[in-house]
Amino acid sequence: MKATPHFDFVGRRRTWIYVSGGLVLLSLLGLLIQGLNLSIDFEGGSSYLVEDVTRDITSQQVRDEVEAAGAQDVTAQIRVDEGEPTGVLVRTAAIEPGSETDQQVIAALADVTGTTQEQVEISFVGPTWGERISRKALEALVVFLIVVVIYISLRLEFKMAIAAVIALVHDVFITVGIYSLVGFTVSPATVIALLTILGYSLYDTVVVFDRVKENARGIGGAGRRTYGEMVNLSMNEVLWRSINTSLTSLLPVGALLFIGSQLLGAETLQDLALALFIGMALGAYSSLFVAGPFLAWWKEQEPEYERMKTKVQKRIEAGEEPEEQTVEDATAAKAPITTDYVRGPGRKKRKKR
């Protein structure tokens, strides 16, 4: 059996605030400056894909030709392989398939890329459809968060539910911000990845809080242990489990991202794998470094735990050192984890159970 680590999660919470604050600020700047590259599934519009480009062209040339054909809100992306353009993706405002403008855009793309009109692949999503998808996605997210708060409040307690939701928002916001900075397209696959992140982050946080609730039964008794110390102990007890779970989850996702999409060229895996990889890593981080320390700080504002913290500090100032009972001893005795105090050299004051 591995020894229980003694990492000070709660005591170093200012450090985690700076780290998380920096990541949130970076994500916010990415969203404000660069924004999200939404697919037509969300924005609505038309897209034209040419897989076989035979001419040396620039994105500006493509935009000029397509705009001259009558399209609006045109963006063009050139896929380059070994310094040569190999594909073009053009997105425009919604153009009715088969209309005169649609035919002119296809002809213009075929001409500028040096291919035939039959090789231009077309996708169309009306603006109403894209707006409805975005609205439904937000509604589903709100309902999910409400259900999470209700469930954790009933199963554990309300403050734990709020701490878990804060960790969820932390993970999703930073993931979306990094997604914005990288510039990958936000597609329905991205939404699936984000929902997976929510579930993973929530699972890890609930594991920590369940141990916190279990250990909280053993801090009743004045001056034994502060709530923050108990939360810190609980997180150390589940630390190896969190690390093992995170690694076994990140390994296959990392294979999708670095081998599947980058090495083998399966580009359709990029947006899904990137969101999953970043989100799962953040989920493991936030359950220990965000949710736990935040819960400890909030609970210690309660009068009961504030008085307990004061009594512990007074005992320490009086020269009484806490002698901690191990988790294994408490489990064997079927008793809650307690802390007795040593008074003077070699003399122990023990309480009978």
Side-chain angles (χ1 to χ4, degrees):
M1 181 181 293
K2 293 186 177 71
T4 301
H6 297 283
F7 192 83
D8 192 5
F9 294 99
V10 176
R12 300 179 183 176
R13 58 186 167 215
R14 288 185 180 272
T15 303
W16 319 138
I17 290 174
Y18 294 143
V19 172
S20 295
L23 292 174
V24 169
L25 180 60
L26 182 64
S27 301
L28 182 61
L29 290 175
L31 290 170
L32 292 177
I33 296 174
Q34 189 163 328
L36 288 173
N37 183 21
L38 297 174
S39 70
I40 63 173
D41 298 283
F42 295 99
E43 289 189 321
S46 299
S47 70
Y48 301 84
L49 176 65
V50 180
E51 291 283 5
D52 187 16
V53 176
T54 61
R55 295 180 181 175
D56 187 10
I57 55 176
T58 65
S59 58
Q60 186 61 49
Q61 288 176 319
V62 175
R63 281 197 300 270
D64 291 342
E65 291 293 330
V66 173
E67 288 175 352
Q72 298 178 347
D73 299 332
V74 179
T75 61
Q77 294 177 315
I78 307 294
R79 187 181 64 210
V80 179
D81 186 11
E82 296 182 355
E84 297 293 330
T86 59
V88 175
L89 174 63
V90 175
R91 292 163 61 182
T92 71
I95 300 174
E96 191 67 28
S99 64
E100 182 180 352
T101 302
D102 182 58
Q103 295 300 320
Q104 290 175 349
V105 169
I106 294 173
L109 273 175
D111 181 62
V112 75
T113 58
T115 186
T116 63
Q117 296 187 20
E118 288 73 19
Q119 290 180 298
V120 180
E121 300 179 15
I122 309 166
S123 298
F124 171 80
V125 175
T128 304
W129 170 255
E131 180 183 350
R132 186 162 64 249
I133 288 180
S134 301
R135 187 177 65 252
K136 292 296 183 183
L138 290 175
E139 290 175 356
L141 179 60
V142 171
V143 171
F144 171 80
L145 292 177
I146 292 174
V147 172
V148 164
V149 171
I150 294 174
Y151 172 76
I152 298 181
S153 298
L154 295 175
R155 175 65 178 80
L156 300 172
E157 65 172 276
F158 176 73
K159 288 187 176 181
M160 290 183 177
I162 299 302
V165 170
I166 289 175
L168 286 179
V169 174
H170 168 276
D171 297 343
V172 173
F173 187 80
I174 294 177
T175 302
V176 171
I178 295 176
Y179 223 70
S180 170
L181 292 171
V182 174
F184 285 149
T185 302
V186 177
S187 65
T190 310
V191 176
I192 295 172
L194 290 176
L195 291 175
T196 305
I197 291 167
L198 294 177
Y200 181 85
S201 176
L202 185 64
Y203 165 79
D204 221 21
T205 303
V206 168
V207 167
V208 173
F209 285 171
D210 188 63
R211 178 52 66 92
V212 170
K213 183 180 180 181
E214 180 181 339
N215 286 346
R217 301 189 186 101
I219 66 169
R224 290 182 175 180
R225 187 195 301 270
T226 68
Y227 194 89
E229 290 170 344
M230 184 273 300
V231 171
N232 203 67
L233 172 64
S234 301
M235 290 191 292
N236 276 283
E237 289 173 357
V238 299
L239 180 59
W240 287 119
R241 177 176 179 177
S242 295
I243 292 175
N244 293 333
T245 303
S246 301
L247 287 177
T248 53
S249 300
L250 286 173
L251 284 175
V253 175
L256 285 177
L257 177 60
F258 299 110
I259 299 178
S261 65
Q262 301 298 322
L263 187 61
L264 301 180
E267 296 181 359
T268 54
L269 296 175
Q270 284 188 137
D271 53 347
L272 175 66
L274 177 66
L276 283 175
F277 189 84
I278 296 173
M280 286 183 173
L282 284 170
Y285 165 82
S286 66
S287 63
L288 296 170
F289 297 93
V290 176
F294 176 79
L295 175 68
W297 169 81
W298 196 6
K299 290 288 288 184
E300 286 189 340
Q301 309 307 308
E302 296 180 6
E304 176 187 356
Y305 294 116
E306 191 173 9
R307 288 193 300 269
M308 186 178 296
K309 183 176 181 179
T310 301
K311 289 182 179 181
V312 170
Q313 291 174 344
K314 287 181 179 179
R315 283 180 177 269
I316 294 175
E317 290 171 0
E320 299 179 10
E321 295 293 335
E323 180 187 354
E324 295 186 358
Q325 182 184 22
T326 65
V327 180
E328 291 79 8
D329 291 342
T331 303
K334 294 184 179 180
I337 300 172
T338 62
T339 304
D340 297 329
Y341 286 85
V342 178
R343 186 185 300 275
R347 297 188 61 189
K348 297 182 180 180
K349 180 182 177 182
R350 297 188 178 275
K351 296 181 180 179
K352 295 182 179 179
R353 296 187 177 88

